[in-house]
């Protein structure tokens, strides 16, 4: 009972906080919260097309959130999902624009490339931590900027599409578009892949030796070391896997919805995903639910901006606050745990 | 008879799956030192938290004639603040909006003097030895002039000399009319310093005695509800070489070890005696393969299994939020019988955990509860059970009974002896000489990172060992 | 306990505020014509076709009482979500501003066959899309003719953004117009390879001026602003601006601007909808619709001279009457011969 309350208190509290803060934002913007929320929910769930957009955002958030959860469970605060997603998308977009193989094979190749790109980006941070004991928070954060500038440089120059004006590649041949899941919407079958990743992660955490060692390294590093677990290996491996999941997410955006790479293809999914992972209590299946909730905010937020004049950025500010609150709560809980013994 | 200073009547407190305190009655009188004893998990901590008002009882009444003070086992001090700041934290005398430092210092000095405690109010707490830190903790409560003072395991961290002076202080307090209750494991101290003792078992107070009219044995029997499990008999074994350490040099600074030569043979327990901080940790870590070293550490049989009981069970041995089953797998996750391809065989792990629970009498509602929720003794039983479950060739035990109750300690010692009888080579590092004398076949004394003397069980000289431990030859 | 009380308080406050805010309801009235618009990355304030299109919507608001909503795109990645968001709100017409959005609109329009869309500067072959294009070659022809009349060096230049079919229309019309007046005139053609690089515009126009050209016609978005900056310090040289009225940016040095009145086209499309005779398919706007033309030379009348202005008027009449057909590509330019008036 107490345990149940403990696990529910965080996410529920977050939702209450979210509603309160959003109401305040709406009032500041001169709209009644009643109108604002009805616009939000209508825009997110009011019909097939709306639900499609919500699930597009859900899918885009779910990949990096699962990646983040993997690293967090291993005790590594990977806040570089944004960069990992971007590099994954870049790999997929750069190759996808020039690809000449059969469709399904091509799509698979692009998704694998996304995983490689994101995984590489995560592994760099992991290697820095394992080799030089660099702080992974700083390393992953800084690699976000490196990813942004590297992709901008490449896509402004050699990889720029012939007709592109901004920083983007050429469009992918239609053969390499992920099939649509919900006809009449932009939703591709990428979301099924995301759900599959969630199930695999659940299995990984709860059943496998690797998941066991990963959790041990995260929950009690010294006991894990004494249990013969190679912490350095876990560190770079979990950051690489974490990045690979975010990278597949980036590749899914490229092949599923946008059909080309653009340096701005993520409006901060990698950061919002931190909140998603924390609200989901780092449990893959709860994270799916949390991603849906945040998908409503992302898709509904745009509708809210269009019909209720509340800037969508207000939602991002609020999401940022939630990350702060949840992270602080986790930090305090972790401190309490270590000082209590 | 005077009015009691604290009356607990019909106290009951239940947590999910366990009744922590059940219909407990207790009266504390001014001037008495009352010991509250019991095994870990018997309900002592809950009862004192209820008496202090920290925890609300489900049923029953608490009545105190004045303030109740509580000194925690784990000090709740702010290391970077000065002594007077810690003592008066939250009650600082003020002058306008500022703290009146001069008044604060003299007030702390006055309280210290009244209670015969020497202290420098300006010292930073983190620079003080443990015994003095405890004085600060005590002063904080004494400043509030409590009618009742509860002390939770007050001597757990103290050196023998500090213990004596601590009890002198406590007796002074009692003489001035305070009612004192000490929650403790150390039955010798109970006999030596307390006036009365209450024994708790399974949440109930099962016995109450005048200490003058009882003995350590009688209290211990009341605690466990019968006879103590006797340590398994020492069987005759044919020791054959098993673990051999030569010219070992490891670590740096005060805790480094040098020139260590040591043999542990199958079927014997070698005890390392010594005062804490003389290199025992470094030696254990080197043998466990946790740190680099020079010299040789060799095992007689190829691929020898080594079961380790680390010194810090919270940090080094257990993952506190994990279940018993998962903790039983930790460190054994690559064993063939526990793995099925890339996954873990949880059913097998559960069976292992069950076996440990039975062999070690682990008290837990289920095998799925987080070990965090278990008492220290039960946690240690899991650590020891896990170290022994795969019948290791070598057992490395570091203070295996530290901080656990007598029943659990006897059980752990008994299982170590059994492992020896079954042919394991046991290296026992302990700061309690009594434990080493009881268990070891041979004893090596460590001082400043070297082995300074060795004794066979047959010709042990307690005095000589004590002198070697103190650095006297 | 305290936390619970606080939460209850916050929830109560939110409810109270949401009721209080009910008075300010915004949104379209029932039966009102609703027009949505998605800007390209230039966004509102680009002093070019996004602004111009928005003026068209404001005209529709003022004259036929339309409800108007704009979503700005920060990057090309926003096009699809923005278009879909407005679609989900069931606007009567959703305008996509700029050919950059062509492929994105095509994708969204196919997913929502019930929704009407309009796109500016691109031709999209979907039954539910009105493609608005302009006969830029007509206005450019006039610009070329004027440049040939005013040039003292018999050497003029064209500065394009990217060499794409849309800009080719400007180039071909301009060159043909110049040859109409002066068959032997030298016309230099340069492309900046960008619509955004202001510095390149300044650099390239200095280059062209130094080579002997004394008038440059820019069809290059923000690159043209660099050219205007360059001409400020060059007496006797001129720039011809494009898209919107840029004459005032360097009074007396901008000979005229070839304005493309996107607002007129946007408004016409809205009006046709209001009148129940919605436009379909590809609609071209030109000189005779008043959607293309030169500015009124308010700073440069004297430099041009009455005779030249009269001659320009005659050429314009010839285009409107169909006597002159300005070429819209380099191929058509090669076949163009001056028409004697």
């Amino acid at each position: 009972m107490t345990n149940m309350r403990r696990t529910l208190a965080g996410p529920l509290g977050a939702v209450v906080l979210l509603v309160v803060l959003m109401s305040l934002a709406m009032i500041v913007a001169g709209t009644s919260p009643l109108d604002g929320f009805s616009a939000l929910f209508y825009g997110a769930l009011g019909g097939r097309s709306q639900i499609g957009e919500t699930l597009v955002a859900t899918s885009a958030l779910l990949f990096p959130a699962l990646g983040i959860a993997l690293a967090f469970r291993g005790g590594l605060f990977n806040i570089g999902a944004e960069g990992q997603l971007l590099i994954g998308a870049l790999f997929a977009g750069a190759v996808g624009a020039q690809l000449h193989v059969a469709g399904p094979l091509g799509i698979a190749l692009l998704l694998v490339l996304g995983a490689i790109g994101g995984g590489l980006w995560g592994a760099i941070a992991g290697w820095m931590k394992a080799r030089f004991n660099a702080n992974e928070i700083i390393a992953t954060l800084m690699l976000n900027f490196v990813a942004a500038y590297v992709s901008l440089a490449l896509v402004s120059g050699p990889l720029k599409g012939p007709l592109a004006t901004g920083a983007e590649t050429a469009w992918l041949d239609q053969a390499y578009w992920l099939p649509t899941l919900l006809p009449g919407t932009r939703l591709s079958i990428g979301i099924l892949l995301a759900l599959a990743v969630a199930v695999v992660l659940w299995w990984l955490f709860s059943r496998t030796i690797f998941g066991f060692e990963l959790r041990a390294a995260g929950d009690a590093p010294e006991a894990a070391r004494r249990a013969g677990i190679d912490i350095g290996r876990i560190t770079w491996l979990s950051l690489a896997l974490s990045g690979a999941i975010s990278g597949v997410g980036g590749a899914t955006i490229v092949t599923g919805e946008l059909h080309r790479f653009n340096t701005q293809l993520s409006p901060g999914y990698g950061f919002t995903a931190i909140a998603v992972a924390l609200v989901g209590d780092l449990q893959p299946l709860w994270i799916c639910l949390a991603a849906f909730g945040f998908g409503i905010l992302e898709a509904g937020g745009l509708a809210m901006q269009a019909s209720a004049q509340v800037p969508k950025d207000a939602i991002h500010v609020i999401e940022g606050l939630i990350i702060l609150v949840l992270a602080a709560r986790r930090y305090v809980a972790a401190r309490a745990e270590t000082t209590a013994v | 008879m005077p009015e009691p200073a604290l009356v607990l009547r019909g106290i009951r407190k239940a947590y999910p799956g366990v009744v922590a305190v059940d219909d407990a009655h207790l009266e504390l009188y001014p001037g008495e030192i009352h010991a509250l004893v019991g095994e870990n998990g018997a309900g002592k901590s809950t009862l004192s938290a209820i008496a202090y008002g920290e925890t609300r009882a489900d049923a029953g009444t608490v009545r105190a004639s004045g303030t109740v003070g509580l000194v925690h086992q784990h000090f709740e001090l702010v290391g970077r603040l000065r002594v007077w700041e810690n003592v008066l934290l939250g009650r600082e005398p003020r002058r306008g909006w500022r703290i009146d430092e001069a008044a604060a210092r003299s007030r702390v000095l006055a309280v210290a003097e009244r209670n015969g405690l020497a202290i420098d109010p300006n010292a930073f707490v983190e620079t003080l030895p443990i015994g003095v830190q405890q004085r600060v903790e005590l002063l904080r409560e004494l400043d509030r002039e409590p009618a009742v003072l509860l002390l939770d395991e007050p001597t757990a961290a103290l050196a023998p000399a500090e213990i004596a002076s601590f009890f002198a202080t406590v007796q002074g307090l009692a003489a001035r009319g305070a009612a004192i209750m000490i929650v403790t494991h150390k039955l010798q101290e109970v006999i030596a310093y307390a006036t009365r003792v209450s024994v708790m078992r399974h949440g109930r107070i099962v016995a109450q005695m005048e200490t003058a009219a009882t003995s350590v044995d009688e209290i211990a029997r009341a605690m466990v509800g019968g006879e103590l499990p006797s340590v398994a008999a020492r069987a005759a074994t044919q020791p054959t070489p098993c673990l051999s350490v030569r010219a070992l040099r490891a670590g740096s600074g005060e805790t480094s070890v040098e020139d260590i030569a040591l043999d542990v043979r199958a079927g014997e327990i070698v005890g390392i005696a010594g005062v804490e901080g003389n290199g025992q940790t470094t030696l254990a870590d080197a043998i466990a393969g946790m740190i680099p070293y020079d010299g040789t550490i060799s095992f007689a049989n190829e691929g020898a299994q080594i079961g380790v009981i680390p010194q810090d069970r919270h940090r080094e041995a257990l993952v506190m939020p994990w279940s018993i089953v998962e903790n039983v797998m930790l460190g054994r996750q690559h064993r063939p019988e526990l793995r099925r391809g890339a996954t873990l065989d949880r059913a097998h792990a559960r069976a292992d955990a069950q076996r440990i629970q039975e062999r070690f009498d682990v008290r837990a509602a289920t095998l799925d509860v987080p070990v965090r929720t278990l008492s220290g003794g039960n946690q240690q039983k899991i650590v020891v059970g896990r170290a022994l479950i795969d019948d290791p060739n070598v057992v490395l035990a570091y203070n295996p009974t530290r901080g656990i109750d007598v029943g659990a300690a006897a059980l752990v010692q008994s299982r170590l002896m059994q492992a020896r009888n079954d042919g394991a080579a046991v290296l026992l590092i302990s700061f309690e000489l009594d434990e080493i004398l009881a268990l070891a076949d041979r004893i090596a004394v460590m001082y400043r990172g070297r082995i300074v003397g060795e004794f066979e069980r047959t010709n042990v000289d307690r005095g000589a060992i004590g002198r070697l431990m103190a650095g006297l030859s | 306990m305290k936390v619970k009380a606080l939460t209850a308080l916050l929830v109560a406050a939110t409810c109270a505020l949401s009721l209080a805010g009910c008075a300010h309801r915004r949104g379209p009235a029932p039966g009102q014509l609703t027009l949505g618009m998605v800007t390209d990355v230039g966004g509102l304030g680009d002093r070019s076709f996004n602004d111009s299109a928005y003026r068209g919507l404001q005209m529709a608001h003022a004259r036929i009482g339309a409800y108007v909503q704009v979503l700005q795109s920060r990057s090309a990645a926003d096009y699809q979500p923005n278009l879909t968001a407005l679609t989900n709100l069931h606007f009567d017409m959703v305008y996509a501003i700029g050919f950059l959005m062509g492929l994105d609109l095509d994708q969204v329009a196919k997913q929502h066959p019930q929704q009407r869309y309009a796109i500016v500067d691109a031709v999209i072959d979907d039954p539910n899309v009105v493609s608005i294009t302009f006969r830029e070659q007509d206005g450019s022809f006039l610009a070329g003719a004027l440049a040939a009349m005013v040039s003292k060096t018999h050497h003029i230049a064209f500065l394009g953004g990217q060499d794409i079919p849309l800009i080719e229309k400007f180039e071909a019309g301009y060159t043909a117009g110049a040859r109409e007046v002066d068959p032997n005139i030298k016309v230099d053609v340069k492309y900046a390879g960008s619509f955004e690089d202001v510095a390149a515009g300044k650099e390239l126009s200095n280059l062209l001026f130094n080579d002997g050209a004394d008038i440059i016609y820019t069809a290059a978005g923000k690159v043209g602003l660099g050219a205007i900056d360059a001409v400020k310090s060059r007496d006797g040289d001129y720039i011809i601006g494009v898209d919107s009225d840029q004459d005032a940016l360097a009074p007396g040095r901008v000979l005229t601007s070839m304005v493309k009145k996107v607002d007129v086209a946007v408004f016409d499309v809205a009006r046709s909808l209001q009148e129940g005779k919605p436009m379909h398919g590809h609609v071209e706007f030109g000189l005779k619709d008043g959607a293309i033309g030169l500015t009124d030379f308010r700073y440069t009348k004297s430099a041009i001279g009455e005779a030249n202005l009269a001659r320009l008027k005659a050429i314009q009449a010839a285009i409107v009457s169909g006597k002159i057909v300005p070429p819209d590509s380099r191929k058509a330019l090669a076949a163009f011969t001056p028409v004697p008036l």
Side-chain angles (χ1 to χ4, degrees), chain A residues 311-328:
Chain A
K312 185 167 183 268
D313 296 308
I315 284 195
H316 290 133
V317 171
I318 290 158
E319 282 172 0
L321 284 173
I322 292 202
I323 299 180
L324 212 64
V325 169
L326 287 178

Side-chain angles (χ1 to χ4, degrees), chain B residues 42-371:
Chain B
K44 309 183 298 283
S45 301
T46 307
L47 189 62
S48 50
I50 289 171
Y52 182 54
E54 215 169 33
T55 302
R56 190 192 288 257
D58 297 339
T61 57
V62 179
R63 215 180 61 232
S65 64
T67 340
V68 179
L70 172 65
V71 177
H72 285 277
Q73 176 178 5
H74 302 286
F75 304 154
E76 298 185 334
L77 297 172
V78 185
R80 284 179 210 170
L81 292 186
R82 295 174 191 279
V83 166
W84 69 262
E85 289 171 310
N86 268 287
V87 169
L88 299 179
L89 199 63
R91 301 190 300 270
E92 301 90 347
R94 284 167 190 280
R95 196 168 52 196
W97 51 274
R98 295 183 54 203
I99 293 172
D100 186 345
E101 294 191 18
R105 273 192 213 97
S106 55
R107 179 161 136 198
V108 170
L109 272 177
V111 178
E113 215 160 293
R114 198 160 63 235
N115 293 289
L117 294 167
I119 195 97
D120 169 11
N122 282 328
F124 284 100
V125 162
E126 62 190 356
T127 64
L128 300 174
I130 297 286
V132 182
Q133 288 192 14
Q134 185 172 41
R135 253 175 253 165
V136 178
E137 188 89 15
L138 201 54
L139 279 173
R140 188 158 73 189
E141 294 304 323
L142 293 177
D143 177 65
R144 299 165 56 206
E145 299 184 350
V148 179
L149 188 58
L150 312 174
L151 304 166
D152 188 5
E153 299 280 357
T155 61
L158 300 189
E162 288 174 326
I163 290 174
S165 86
F166 168 79
F167 275 109
T169 307
V170 170
Q171 282 168 330
L173 284 174
R176 280 193 302 282
I180 296 183
M181 183 170 86
I182 297 178
V183 176
T184 185
H185 278 125
K186 300 190 175 176
L187 301 186
Q188 274 93 353
E189 288 174 11
V190 172
I191 297 293
Y193 301 108
T195 46
R196 281 201 303 156
V197 55
S198 290
V199 181
M200 284 190 86
R201 192 168 75 237
H202 299 324
R204 291 170 173 273
I205 292 181
V206 293
Q208 208 162 61
M209 298 166 276
E210 299 286 332
T211 49
T214 185
S215 66
V216 168
D217 277 351
E218 194 186 351
I219 297 173
R221 274 198 301 277
M223 280 168 66
V224 297
E227 290 301 318
L228 271 180
S230 57
V231 173
R234 185 180 304 271
T237 55
Q238 292 274 305
T240 53
C242 188
L243 165 66
S244 155
V245 177
R246 289 289 175 276
L248 179 72
R249 183 195 184 129
S252 62
E254 293 202 340
T255 59
S256 64
V257 298
E258 205 158 329
D259 198 21
I260 301 268
L262 189 67
D263 283 298
V264 187
R265 290 170 296 179
E268 73 170 0
I269 297 178
V270 172
I272 303 283
V275 176
E276 179 165 16
N278 276 289
Q280 295 98 320
T281 308
T282 309
L283 174 64
D285 283 352
I287 294 174
M290 287 294 120
I291 56 168
Y293 57 84
D294 294 328
T296 56
I297 296 174
S298 56
F299 297 92
N301 27 352
E302 197 87 0
Q305 290 215 28
I306 165 160
V308 182
I309 301 165
Q311 65 165 331
D312 183 342
R313 62 175 167 267
H314 290 147
R315 213 171 66 84
E316 297 171 349
L318 296 170
V319 183
M320 301 304 282
W322 285 13
S323 70
I324 297 174
V325 174
E326 289 206 304
N327 271 291
V328 165
M329 288 191 276
L330 189 66
R332 306 169 60 234
Q333 65 270 19
H334 290 291
R335 292 187 65 83
E337 70 269 22
L338 267 176
R339 66 184 298 176
R340 264 187 318 206
T343 61
L344 285 162
D345 186 342
R346 290 182 161 261
H348 196 285
R350 182 170 294 276
D352 285 349
Q354 208 131 27
R355 226 165 81 218
I356 291 172
Q357 184 175 34
E358 280 157 19
R359 282 193 65 198
F360 284 83
D361 186 26
V362 176
R363 312 251 174 89
T366 72
L367 293 173
D368 299 307
V369 296
V371 296

Side-chain angles (χ1 to χ4, degrees), chain C residues 12 16 24 36 39 57 86 92 121 159 181 187 191 199 218 236 300 302 329:
Chain C
H24 320 265
T39 73
L57 290 188
L86 292 177
D92 294 324
D121 272 351
L159 178 58
V181 170
V187 182
Y191 280 91
T218 63
T300 50
S302 57
S329 66

Side-chain angles (χ1 to χ4, degrees), chain C residues 286-303:
Chain C
L287 281 177
K288 62 172 176 288
D289 310 291
I292 284 283
L294 299 184
T295 53
D296 56 5
F297 321 109
R298 59 188 184 283
Y299 302 109
T300 50
K301 226 167 226 157
S302 57

Side-chain angles (χ1 to χ4, degrees), chain C residues 88-149:
Chain C
N88 289 343
L89 293 167
H90 307 302
F91 277 79
D92 294 324
M93 175 64 78
V94 174
Y95 290 89
I97 308 305
F99 70 96
L100 294 173
M101 241 176 284
L103 289 168
D104 291 295
L105 178 65
D106 184 36
Q107 197 176 317
V108 174
K110 284 194 165 70
Q111 288 157 356
H112 301 280
Q114 313 305 324
Q115 173 70 45
R116 283 180 202 281
Y117 299 95
I119 185 162
V120 172
D121 272 351
V123 180
I124 301 295
D125 194 17
D126 290 311
N128 54 333
V129 176
V130 183
S131 301
I132 300 169
T133 62
F134 296 86
R135 295 183 54 85
E136 289 91 352
Q137 65 271 29
D138 293 5
S140 300
F141 192 92
L142 290 178
L146 178 66
M149 292 175 212

